[in-house]
Amino acid sequence: MDANVILSMYEDHPTARCPDPAAENTVGGMENTEGLAARVIDLTKSFGSGSGAVTALDAVNVGIRRGEFTAIMGPSGSGKSTLMHIMAGLDDPTQGRAWIGDTEITGLGDRELTLLRRRKAGFVFQSFNLVPTLDVKANILLPFDLDGRRPTAAEQHLVQDLVYDLGLGDRLTHRPHQLSGGQQQRVAIVRALATAPDVVFADEPTGNLDSRTGREVLRILRRASEGGQSIVMVTHDPIAASYADRVLFLGDGRVVADKPRQSAEQISEHMLRSEMAAVA
Ligand SMILES: Nc1ncnc2c1ncn2[C@@H]1O[C@H](COP(=O)(O)OP(=O)(O)OP(=O)(O)O)[C@@H](O)[C@H]1O
C-alpha cells in the first residue's frame, strides 16, 4: 500500500470541485438540518462518458443524524461506496451538494477540506489502510501527528481502551506487514475512533474479521454512537447492519428504503426481496 494514498485521507486531496452548486438549500426528506452530522442533497455521480457512462448515484438525498449509527446496504454496484466517498469528502459529485456538520464540502478548498476531515471525521476504508513504514502505535496516533498535537489525557485513555478491547496490546510495535488482515483492520478502526470524531465513515469494517472480533467492533461502533458520534457503515452483512439504528438501502444509485433498526432476519428478507425484484 502506497503511504501517500493513506496520508491523502488526512492531507490535501486533489479533486475537482463542484463549481457552483445551484440547488436551493432545501433538503428533501430531511428534518431539521441542525441535527445532522453529514448530509447530501441531489447528489449525482457519473463515471465515464457517452455509451460507456455509468450513473453511480442518481439524485440522492441523505441526512446522517448526530449520534446515530447508520448502515448503508444494497446490491453490489448500487452506489454505496461512491456515496460514502462523497459524503467523506474523498470524491466529488457530478452534481449536488454535500456537508460535514454545518460546513459545505462541495466547493471547499483542499486545505480547508483536509482540516475539516482531519478534525471531524474518521475513516475505515478497505482501500485506505495503514502506512506500511509506521508501526501500529504510530499508525494509530497518525491523526494527532498530522494535526500537530499530542493526544489529550482523555484521548490517551480512549486509545488505550480501544487497543485493549480489540486485542492489539501486544502488537503496538509491529509493522502492518507483520499483522493479519483482521489485525490491520482493527488498527484502522482504533485510528478512526482515536480522535473521537463527530462522524466515522466505515466501509465493510467487519469484512476481514472473524465473527467474535466483528461483533466486538460493532459493539464499539454502537458505543461510540451512543456517546454522540455518528457512524456511517457500508456493509453487505445483515448481522452487522442489525447493530445500526437505521438502515438505508440503495438500489441502482438511489435510496430505495430508509428503515429504523431492523433485525438481521428483516434485513435479509428486504435484501432478498429487492434482489428478486431486480431480476424479475
Ligand atoms: N472510478 C470508477 N470508474 C468507473 N465506474 C465506477 C468507478 N467507481 C465506481 N464505478 C461504478 O459505479 C457503480 C457504483 O459503484 P460502487 O463502488 O459505489 O458500488 P457499491 O454498491 O459500493 O458496490 P460493492 O458492494 O460491489 O462494493 C458501479 O457500477 C461501479 O462499476
Side-chain angles (χ1 to χ4, degrees):
M1 175 74 58
D2 181 351
N4 291 324
V5 174
I6 299 146
L7 291 169
S8 73
M9 274 194 304
Y10 296 96
E11 293 183 324
D12 288 352
H13 190 77
T15 44
R17 303 268 157 254
C18 188
D20 179 22
E24 259 313 296
N25 190 6
T26 53
V27 184
M30 286 184 222
E31 62 284 15
N32 183 3
T33 58
E34 278 176 20
L36 299 177
R39 64 191 158 111
V40 297
I41 61 167
D42 287 333
L43 204 67
T44 296
K45 179 72 178 181
S46 309
F47 293 104
S49 59
S51 59
V54 174
T55 302
L57 295 174
D58 185 6
V60 169
N61 295 303
V62 169
I64 300 298
R65 300 185 194 101
R66 288 190 204 282
E68 198 167 65
F69 185 173
T70 303
I72 302 178
M73 299 201 81
S76 180
S78 56
K80 303 180 295 294
S81 298
T82 304
L83 175 60
M84 179 119 90
H85 283 133
I86 295 175
M87 281 192 145
L90 294 166
D91 197 0
D92 280 319
T94 307
Q95 276 185 327
R97 306 169 73 179
W99 284 257
I100 291 180
D102 296 329
T103 308
E104 183 169 1
I105 58 174
T106 30
L108 203 63
D110 285 338
R111 190 172 158 66
E112 290 96 329
L113 183 57
T114 300
L115 284 176
L116 184 77
R117 267 202 312 259
R118 196 183 287 162
R119 292 183 178 158
K120 301 268 183 191
F123 307 90
V124 187
F125 285 171
Q126 295 203 329
S127 54
F128 292 115
N129 226 297
L130 307 175
V131 179
T133 49
L134 298 178
D135 67 13
V136 166
K137 187 175 175 199
N139 265 289
I140 290 171
L141 297 178
L142 188 64
F144 300 103
D145 285 347
L146 290 171
D147 206 23
R149 68 183 183 91
R150 295 177 60 76
T152 63
E155 287 166 336
Q156 279 178 34
H157 274 122
L158 174 64
V159 168
Q160 272 164 17
D161 286 350
L162 290 167
V163 163
Y164 176 79
D165 288 346
L166 289 175
L168 292 168
D170 58 353
R171 291 287 184 276
L172 290 174
T173 56
H174 287 59
R175 297 269 175 85
H177 75 270
Q178 297 170 309
L179 303 176
S180 69
Q183 287 167 335
Q184 292 185 40
Q185 184 80 321
R186 282 181 266 160
V187 176
I189 289 161
V190 177
R191 183 180 63 187
L193 293 171
T195 55
D198 289 350
V199 53
V200 175
F201 297 98
D203 201 348
E204 294 283 358
T206 56
N208 286 326
L209 305 178
D210 61 67
S211 57
R212 191 183 62 79
T213 315
R215 280 196 302 276
E216 186 58 33
V217 164
L218 292 163
R219 272 196 292 271
I220 286 170
L221 292 176
R222 227 195 124 70
R223 196 170 68 202
S225 73
E226 285 161 3
Q229 291 170 266
S230 305
I231 311 294
V232 187
M233 172 181 73
V234 165
T235 183
H236 286 106
D237 177 5
I239 294 176
S242 71
Y243 281 74
D245 301 305
R246 177 189 186 194
V247 188
L248 293 174
F249 293 92
L250 293 194
D252 285 334
R254 291 174 163 266
V255 177
V256 292
D258 182 351
K259 305 263 188 195
R261 194 164 187 188
Q262 304 272 292
S263 69
E265 291 73 27
Q266 287 172 308
I267 295 166
S268 299
E269 218 171 278
H270 187 95
M271 295 288 288
L272 195 62
R273 271 205 311 273
S274 52
E275 276 160 26
M276 282 167 68
V279 293

